[in-house]
Amino acid sequence: DNPIELVALDRPNNVKTLTSMAANYDYVVIDGAAKLEDMIAACIKVSDFVLIPVQPSPYDIWAASDLVDFIKARQEVTDGSPRAAFVVSRVVEGTRLGSDVRTALDDYALPVCETTITQRQVYPQTASEGLTVFDADNAKARAETTALNDEILAMLAPAKREVA
């Protein structure tokens, strides 16, 4: 019953097929693990936009360094593509780390989404059930997810294709 087509790509060479597959879609979302360097490099090559989730933790901020380096190296040879931005996720409401993370990310010279995703049980709960927050009775989670979606679409407006 999922309206979103899912394609699993397990090798960097397979990612190259996305270019031809993407022709049939307005958007292609690639969800990848930041530590799989070959896969990430391949995904960055075919992407127009990279959304980098980061938790409000010094460890996550430091871990983003390699991914940012990959993106900036690609931007240097492609006249600025892919565009990229951070989204702060798993924010615990009312904590200082949640607000300080934006300042820490400034060193990377990439935009940070205004929308943050708050630490909520509904996210892992619905994922484990094969659902989304739109299937749950949690207005705050739906609102922040919708806000992030709208913000990403606004950033993509000049060039619609893939999101990694």
Side-chain angles (χ1 to χ4, degrees), residues 7-90:
V7 177
L9 302 171
D10 61 348
R11 291 183 192 87
N13 284 344
N14 293 348
V15 174
K16 294 175 186 173
T17 64
L18 281 177
T19 304
S20 61
M21 291 171 42
N24 299 321
Y25 301 94
D26 291 329
Y27 301 99
V28 174
V29 177
I30 305 168
D31 185 7
K35 292 296 179 190
L36 300 175
E37 291 182 7
D38 291 343
M39 287 295 287
I40 291 299
C43 291
I44 289 170
K45 286 179 183 177
V46 299
S47 296
D48 295 319
F49 182 81
V50 178
L51 184 64
I52 308 165
V54 64
Q55 295 180 47
S57 148
Y59 304 111
D60 266 35
I61 294 165
W62 298 328
S65 176
D66 290 340
L67 181 55
V68 171
D69 289 345
F70 272 126
I71 292 166
K72 290 192 174 192
R74 181 69 181 167
Q75 288 173 334
E76 286 180 19
V77 297
T78 60
D79 203 23
S81 183
R83 291 173 293 140
F86 287 102
V87 60
V88 182
S89 65
R90 299 186 74 181

